[in-house]
Amino acid sequence: DAGVTQSPTHLIKTRGQQVTLRCSPISGHKSVSWYQQVLGQGPQFIFQYYEKEERGRGNFPDRFSARQFPNYSSELNVNALLLGDSALYLCASFLGGAGDYGYTFGSGTRLTVV
Amino acid sequence: GQNIDQPTEMTATEGAIVQINCTYQTSGFNGLFWYQQHAGEAPTFLSYNVLDGLEEKGRFSSFLSRSKGYSYLLLKELQMKDSASYLCAVRDRNNYGQNFVFGPGTRLSVLP
């Protein structure tokens, strides 16, 4: 089975531009979460989606938005990019249910804003 | 508020034992997780504690004390490949899934 897949793997954007990152969860997983990991820090929660609805939002500005599609894949959009948005963006999928051992992370998208 | 603390860096020798501590203060608690992250790669699951006590899994063990807001990850018989960042994360209660609050990570260097 394929794991969590993210695209693109690397991206370079200019300040003020917009970016869309994509994630496909593990087959059968209905929940997708997005995290931002700045170099040298732990991941910070951005969004969680379950059954195509937003179920959680972290402390990020409105420039960040996301959505989940009927096939449970997800997109993260960031508008008006700032230098500080440079980070590794991680997508994680979750099956759910008692005893589930947490997320499976994708390999991430490395975003560099210049 | 949400706060998770870990040492920033640790160094140990190949073949030795190292203990990485984690303290937490979170508004909700539905399990404590440890993840390993090699440079430039995604975090991978190591261990999970939801009840107090020690969970052993091969060379890795994790301990939890909920009353003290404290956990540690114990790595035995260290190997060079264990050089990585180790992330402590608390899972919040969530009816639809789960949200994790991650600590800053502990960068472990294993020396020959």
Side-chain angles (χ1 to χ4, degrees), chain B residues 43-97:
Chain B
T44 54
F45 168 78
L46 284 179
S47 71
Y48 162 65
N49 296 71
V50 68
L51 300 176
D52 290 352
L54 188 68
E55 292 286 339
E56 297 188 78
K57 199 175 180 183
R59 293 190 300 116
F60 296 83
S61 303
S62 57
F63 172 83
L64 175 66
S65 170
R66 289 171 295 169
S67 62
K68 296 181 180 177
Y70 168 70
S71 173
Y72 68 72
L73 179 69
L74 193 71
L75 292 78
K76 303 174 188 174
E77 301 170 14
L78 281 172
Q79 302 175 9
M80 299 297 289
K81 67 178 181 179
D82 297 330
S83 293
S85 284
Y86 291 85
L87 300 165
C88 173
V90 171
R91 180 169 65 179
D92 272 350
R93 292 186 181 279
N94 183 308
N95 289 331
Y96 303 102

Side-chain angles (χ1 to χ4, degrees), chain A residues 46 54 59 70 111:
Chain A
I46 310 176
E54 183 183 303
N59 189 25
L111 172 65

Side-chain angles (χ1 to χ4, degrees), chain A residues 7-23:
Chain A
S7 63
T9 54
H10 295 83
L11 201 54
I12 299 175
K13 289 286 189 178
T14 305
R15 276 179 299 176
Q17 285 189 311
Q18 176 265 341
V19 68
T20 298
L21 310 180
R22 295 176 176 82
C23 171

Side-chain angles (χ1 to χ4, degrees), chain A residues 31 33 35 37 40-45 47-48 50 55-57 88 90 93-95 99-108 110, chain B residues 6 8 33 35 37 39-45 47-48 57 85 87 90-91 94-105 107:
Chain A
S31 180
S33 293
Y35 285 78
Q37 187 175 25
Q41 299 181 18
Q44 298 294 312
F45 172 68
F47 286 110
Q48 184 205 356
Y50 179 80
R55 301 298 188 174
R57 174 185 283 254
L88 180 67
L90 296 164
S93 76
F94 168 63
L95 175 60
D100 188 282
Y101 292 137
Y103 290 147
T104 300
F105 283 94
S107 297
R110 172 74 62 187
Chain B
Q6 312 176 228
T8 306
F33 291 72
Y35 283 85
Q37 187 176 28
E41 298 182 9
T44 54
F45 168 78
S47 71
Y48 162 65
K57 199 175 180 183
S85 284
L87 300 165
V90 171
R91 180 169 65 179
N94 183 308
N95 289 331
Y96 303 102
Q98 52 189 342
N99 299 331
F100 280 78
V101 178
F102 282 89
R107 186 161 51 195

